[in-house]
Amino acid sequence: MSDLVTFGETMLRLSPPHGERLERTRTLDVQAGGAESNVAVAAARLGVDAVWLSKLPDSSLGRRVVSELRSHGVRTGIVWDDPAESRIGTYYLEPGTEPRGTDVIYDRADAAVTTTVPEELPLGAIRNSDVFYTSGITPALSETLAATTERVLAAAQDGESTTTVFDLNYRSKLWSPAEAREEFESLFPAIDVLVAAERDVRSVLEREGDAPELARGLADDFGFETVVVTRGENGSVALNEGQVFEQDVYRAETVDAIGTGDAFVGGFLAKRLHGGGVGEALEYGSAAASLKRTINGDLAVISPEEVDAVVEHEAGGISR
Amino acid sequence: MSDLVTFGETMLRLSPPHGERLERTRTLDVQAGGAESNVAVAAARLGVDAVWLSKLPDSSLGRRVVSELRSHGVRTGIVWDDPAESRIGTYYLEPGTEPRGTDVIYDRADAAVTTTVPEELPLGAIRNSDVFYTSGITPALSETLAATTERVLAAAQDGESTTTVFDLNYRSKLWSPAEAREEFESLFPAIDVLVAAERDVRSVLEREGDAPELARGLADDFGFETVVVTRGENGSVALNEGQVFEQDVYRAETVDAIGTGDAFVGGFLAKRLHGGGVGEALEYGSAAASLKRTINGDLAVISPEEVDAVVEHEAGGISR
Amino acid sequence: MSDLVTFGETMLRLSPPHGERLERTRTLDVQAGGAESNVAVAAARLGVDAVWLSKLPDSSLGRRVVSELRSHGVRTGIVWDDPAESRIGTYYLEPGTEPRGTDVIYDRADAAVTTTVPEELPLGAIRNSDVFYTSGITPALSETLAATTERVLAAAQDGESTTTVFDLNYRSKLWSPAEAREEFESLFPAIDVLVAAERDVRSVLEREGDAPELARGLADDFGFETVVVTRGENGSVALNEGQVFEQDVYRAETVDAIGTGDAFVGGFLAKRLHGGGVGEALEYGSAAASLKRTINGDLAVISPEEVDAVVEHEAGGISR
Amino acid sequence: MSDLVTFGETMLRLSPPHGERLERTRTLDVQAGGAESNVAVAAARLGVDAVWLSKLPDSSLGRRVVSELRSHGVRTGIVWDDPAESRIGTYYLEPGTEPRGTDVIYDRADAAVTTTVPEELPLGAIRNSDVFYTSGITPALSETLAATTERVLAAAQDGESTTTVFDLNYRSKLWSPAEAREEFESLFPAIDVLVAAERDVRSVLEREGDAPELARGLADDFGFETVVVTRGENGSVALNEGQVFEQDVYRAETVDAIGTGDAFVGGFLAKRLHGGGVGEALEYGSAAASLKRTINGDLAVISPEEVDAVVEHEAGGISR
Amino acid sequence: MSDLVTFGETMLRLSPPHGERLERTRTLDVQAGGAESNVAVAAARLGVDAVWLSKLPDSSLGRRVVSELRSHGVRTGIVWDDPAESRIGTYYLEPGTEPRGTDVIYDRADAAVTTTVPEELPLGAIRNSDVFYTSGITPALSETLAATTERVLAAAQDGESTTTVFDLNYRSKLWSPAEAREEFESLFPAIDVLVAAERDVRSVLEREGDAPELARGLADDFGFETVVVTRGENGSVALNEGQVFEQDVYRAETVDAIGTGDAFVGGFLAKRLHGGGVGEALEYGSAAASLKRTINGDLAVISPEEVDAVVEHEAGGISR
Amino acid sequence: MSDLVTFGETMLRLSPPHGERLERTRTLDVQAGGAESNVAVAAARLGVDAVWLSKLPDSSLGRRVVSELRSHGVRTGIVWDDPAESRIGTYYLEPGTEPRGTDVIYDRADAAVTTTVPEELPLGAIRNSDVFYTSGITPALSETLAATTERVLAAAQDGESTTTVFDLNYRSKLWSPAEAREEFESLFPAIDVLVAAERDVRSVLEREGDAPELARGLADDFGFETVVVTRGENGSVALNEGQVFEQDVYRAETVDAIGTGDAFVGGFLAKRLHGGGVGEALEYGSAAASLKRTINGDLAVISPEEVDAVVEHEAGGISR
């Protein structure tokens, strides 16, 4: 039995040093990155018993991912695939500098995870978890995964006390808004807590209004227990049992923006699992997200004490 | 036949890592840098068939420069000098951080290029080019080069449809303003397009007035087809056939400022060579310059798509 | 018109620093690597006008490969593929240290090059070349490429004075010996010069005897003008018009063994193109190969002077 | 319940890059290192469910050690100490190059672990393990730890099916041979399997004879079930129930010799725990040790497949 | 005879690269750092004949500290301690990024310096110096050092023309405000020039009022010749013979804030020793401090020309 | 008064990382290197009070050299030259790997040191030294320096108890054997101790015979007190007052061979200055040289204890 189970793809993230371009770099930094493992890492580091489920080639590259996640205290449930027959997804990230945009090149087609069928997954463990989390990336990766996502969400729904959490995470490089919308809406009935970027709610789910209105509309139409709308620099809004919570972002100097949203979700879930209310969880998630921004890589290498310090505005300075 | 031919010195640029000082550094980053090859690289990357002419020692260091320039698509026409008898210019660059200024130490005296005589250069190729470019650094390097510059500009003038472009690039470590002025004014009759920093027009050419007045005065006195006055943070101004064009700079976070002016010229010429008007070319050059600022090294490692995105204010954000 | 045209796949080669393992590394060194471009680079550096043909995604990763090859003087003829629809092959290389073997993980399935059809290639340029080279890797990559290989070899055969050169380069991770044998034997009639590792001749072509016997058997059965059998530490043997040439390896301290065979072929072809006999070419190729071993990466970053010094046993020592 | 429980100190290992000296280095590589965790890592990577017990300051440095060990699949049972009141042991390692010796500077006095009392440790887990392992370093670190070592060995002895394994690991920088001998001999009655370097048996335990005689003498005097005598380049000898096993070392190119003995023990125990005989375990341990030598750091970052390949003499070469 | 003698502890400073966390870093940058040697380095680089006195283990680590300080022109008077019996203090520094605070982990207990007794120090040299400097860190390190500090200050007072300078440098990780206050007040009679952070004057010395009032109160109560109160971003205030001087900070982009205060003191003392007035010295010290912020490490790697340029507001720009 | 004074050029040594080529490297390691400062560093580290005299540009590059030498305890007497008018010598070093030779590119023409006249040097300090050392590189650098070398040797000869030591150090890239021979022979009368590579004695001084014969011939013809003939891998031979001493080299794994000869001389002189006989000095110098080979850079970063350990064959192994 675990507090949090997540399921999804984790890729090798390959990025050149600061100020260097992919076209010309001689070295790439390597890290593990993927929405569902990012959430698991953030939550595990904040005291949650977290498990990440996936499929990986049984190679040094697959083991690398597991090794990195385990180092943060995440437990892993891996379907090991024949390395001669499968690959690991990768993505190349060249961080932007104004006015040069960030360049992301996905090379994730046909990754091992895309063939995962429900029979390979520990559905019992999912059913026994307090929270099951996956994101809109997972069903976008393959038809097989779309079907599997449906099945594991159903399994989680079967759990007596399992809350299902879903982050839209719309990726335009994977599918069209229309395809995504259709898939998302078919999954929504199995979801208790929806997290979505305001811009995705507008462009993918084709809804209008301000953030609280968007949340209310979604909750009304699909019966979500909680809807969290993230608004980038403008903070976040949550609707829970009719009540609206608003949260500003904490000021941060951004070293690496990738994974900020996942740190937010990991922090939010950690606070909720530890008994916090939705407002507290928004605050905690925002603080976790602001800390993530100061750290290289997808992963929120943070501690509960640090998140508390941000929430209590005690951060900064040098203690010696 | 080529679109653009440039002639000038390229040095090895040696600089310590960020936050480290020359006095104490254990490693130096090495790159090729020189106004004329910087312009050729920027133009070549933006779709121009560009050739850089120079003289280098026939050693691994000379080959290094050619190798780096070729990697950006520049073609090279090199006079290879006996490595036992010649050297390559170098410069040490310690980037500043407020309030500490940037430290540039030139070690370029007696570089191979300073002995280049016109007979060593492919004057026919210069005559057949659409644009021939050199800068005020070249005649400053040696008396031989001053004479050679005169000759190659004359050859370019002989070309039926060759436009000669000259960037003042006044360097106080190479000569006095009075020396430079005398030399520049003797070269001006052979020049069609003059590019000059406003501050150099004032202090070296000893002219007064605002930027458009400076441009008009120069055009009137020397018969330039086009005069471009660059004004640092204040943008640039061009005068072409009596018409004035003004251009703001694009906001940029500066990773490395060296080479910004050369990226501007490379972008300007690329747009002109592709048929753009002077106003468009100013815009395109400014966008190229702003992108250069985000990249380590003298060279503008940029693409046409990126320049277009800046011009169209579409840059920034992460597409994934 | 060019001296040498090669056609094949070039991958990004990703490898951890010395003494570090893929499973745990935080950085990967990146270089371009592929048999056909390795041969082109070695030959170009040794004075041959060499062109490499391939298909790549039109992304910073595709440009990276071209940029690196161009820096060595290779000209490139690239079919640029839509980056949203295609990928670049990669391979992960963890060099071994006795008794730990070298770990190679290919991630090259469905690379852009695998869809190359003859219509996309400059068949005229192939016909006009002095030597056309490809290796047994190319037809192994896809059925499309197998057909294309056949067609380009036929085109080369049509060239009035084009010699076709083929290196078996059997890769057990791509196909079985039986599949390879069938394909190879169908290509052999179009090939003038065959290069093959002794071990592949035995296990893939299922032939027996010592190296000269293997060469003779192949020449007799398929009508090759020249057969070169490489024997690892035991040197190489060539059969040309009935005459046998034997060559020892030059002693070398191995920094990186990958690409040694390609440097051998590049050196062999350079000497042949410059009018050398088969014996001289074996010697020159062996020297190029021994130098390659001292350099990190797939590419033979060498000069004609260095190869000559090895051949003349003048290498070593410090000249100052 | 776990297969293997180890207890001891793990330090931060700080070492300069190859060819650089501590006196002048600007960077230090950091890794976790300690005999008992090294053994746990080697065993865990070879398929054993391994737990490492220790005490660490509750700081980023303490978490760093746990994080690194967990990445290799070791479970950890840590007594977290007040970081304001405790420290983590460190050691500086400057690897030697003939004729320059290796320089090891211990800075481990008063590390948190030295205050560990039995009440802080999960004695039940020790009792339930199949194998409990500690080394002669542990009792040398403090009087408290000497007493604690005695108590945990006694607890392990209480386990119904727990085998106690002890590696002498004499450290001359921690105590004198006489002190060590007295302590060791008081612990021996609680030990089932003794591992000892031949040189320590001679100089610390003051015994004479060849390796089998040394093993037999120790077994006779102290009733060990198994005695393994390691002999550096000369291999190892084991005595088990009267039977002598001898094992040569496998040839290896040494990248880093530290931790070789611990990899040997980890491999030996892994094979024994998986049902192998003493001879097989010596072979397996020797193979693990030879692989360790090829890897930077204290830890044996190896896989069962790699150890098998060494045992079966199939290692080497490049498979591609 | 020397201009400046300082006495205190210097540690190895170990810090991860930018954006990396101590918990996960694989490398640490190493430098020497300690208030008293930082002051000596800043002063020496600004033309002062400076000597630093301390005790260190006679090991490569101890020599490393001396070597680094000597490279900046500081002369050293070291009591070399038996390396088997002593250690060097270290501190781990993880620089913060908003909103993440800076993490400093001291590991300095029982460092060699803590056992220094007056008999080991060259009291004559102290008596013959123009300025003797130590800080409030020294007496906080051990009871022995508290007594020694008292004795060396007394020796300095005996010097005919020796000015004693003391920087409070309160460190909450070493002692409580009450302990510090008692110790400080017992040392004050021997001190001529007091430097203190405003916040320490309030919280440790328990005084109130604005900065000039604080200075005046301290001068009145303890008879200081000069009191300098540093106020972080708000500049500094000095009281000298009844006259108040105020100084703003110079704007600086902070690369590394550690050592800023010591650079200030070093600059202040250099200007005073070269005959400058207190106002000039404040200005010079502030300029030195602003330059220090642009440089990695504790040490102010600066030149007199650079400090002058800041004072004269001539800094910035690129001269070429 | 000092034990040893040396005079000569020190350059910046720029070299690519292992396995990388100058033509393609992105970074260069920087160190100070020059025969006379190398000797001073080796001697200073072995307990000699050593001073190095030279001329350098008053820039960060000049200060860098002084800073590095001072860190090893060498005192420096520098003529600071106007940085706008002078340069520092540099040399590029690409270490070879069999069969690829080492590539040394000197860029030292017109370095500041080449203009040094005797009036700029502290001739009194030279006269008061126990040993004055320079090498055959110094007079080769310029006519001015040839004259200055003559004058400083004469000054040293004037010293009551100054021994003059001269290492031929013939550099074929600086002058011809005939030029060198003429210059050397004009200097010999002022020299007490000659050090020369056997190969230079043969090819430059045009002498024949085995090493003892070469030494005897030189001593007879020029009246040297001592002649040391170094023979690379074959050890060294010394002739002193008619007595011949022979010394083998100590086995060493070579990390960097540059500076080996200077470490030999530094060790030899250190032992002589400390009262050792010629035989002991040869032994000590050979040991210092063997240690140098294990260290990156020109400088022998070694300690007396380490040299003693090599002499006593106690080196190797790990003490812990």
Side-chain angles (χ1 to χ4, degrees), chain A residues 31 45 68 71-72 251-253 255 290-291 294-296 299 301-303 306 310 315-320, chain E residues 18-21 23-24 26 91 93-94 97-104 106 170-173 257-259:
Chain A
Q31 290 182 304
R45 295 191 59 97
E68 184 168 353
S71 78
H72 297 286
R251 262 182 57 165
E253 187 187 326
V255 170
S290 71
L291 286 165
T294 69
I295 297 160
N296 258 322
L299 303 182
V301 187
I302 58 177
S303 70
E306 289 172 332
V310 173
I318 306 175
S319 166
R320 58 182 182 176
Chain E
H18 182 66
E20 191 50 272
R21 305 218 61 179
E23 182 183 327
R24 166 174 89 160
R26 295 270 177 90
Y91 84 97
L93 170 72
E94 181 187 276
T97 304
E98 187 186 12
R100 184 163 51 80
T102 291
D103 186 15
V104 171
Y106 284 127
Y170 174 67
R171 294 287 182 268
S172 65
K173 294 190 171 177
I258 308 291

Side-chain angles (χ1 to χ4, degrees), chain F residues 146-207:
Chain F
T148 300
T149 305
E150 210 162 320
R151 281 284 301 282
V152 297
L153 280 169
Q157 288 286 85
D158 288 353
E160 247 174 77
S161 58
T162 306
T163 301
T164 53
V165 182
F166 189 81
D167 186 336
L168 277 199
N169 269 345
Y170 174 68
R171 294 288 181 265
S172 65
K173 293 190 172 178
L174 295 176
W175 51 2
S176 69
E179 290 168 318
R181 182 183 177 174
E182 189 185 333
E183 179 65 28
F184 289 162
E185 293 189 357
S186 82
L187 295 173
F188 282 172
I191 289 164
D192 300 318
V193 178
L194 180 73
V195 182
E198 185 177 18
R199 138 198 103 229
D200 291 346
V201 178
R202 295 188 196 283
S203 64
V204 179
L205 302 183
E206 296 182 345
R207 282 158 179 274

Side-chain angles (χ1 to χ4, degrees), chain B residues 68-147:
Chain B
E68 183 167 354
L69 299 180
R70 278 205 297 215
S71 78
H72 297 287
V74 170
R75 291 191 287 135
T76 56
I78 305 302
V79 186
W80 290 108
D81 207 7
D82 178 355
E85 303 292 329
S86 69
R87 63 182 301 258
I88 188 166
T90 51
Y91 83 98
Y92 296 85
L93 170 74
E94 180 188 276
T97 304
E98 187 186 13
R100 186 164 50 78
T102 291
D103 186 14
V104 171
I105 298 180
Y106 283 127
D107 183 10
R108 68 200 303 183
D110 300 321
V113 75
T114 60
T115 65
T116 316
V117 292
E119 292 67 32
E120 295 175 310
L121 296 173
L123 299 181
I126 292 172
R127 251 179 239 113
N128 285 328
S129 64
D130 291 327
V131 171
F132 173 76
Y133 168 87
T134 191
S135 89
I137 296 167
T138 311
L141 293 173
S142 71
E143 284 182 34
T144 303
L145 271 186

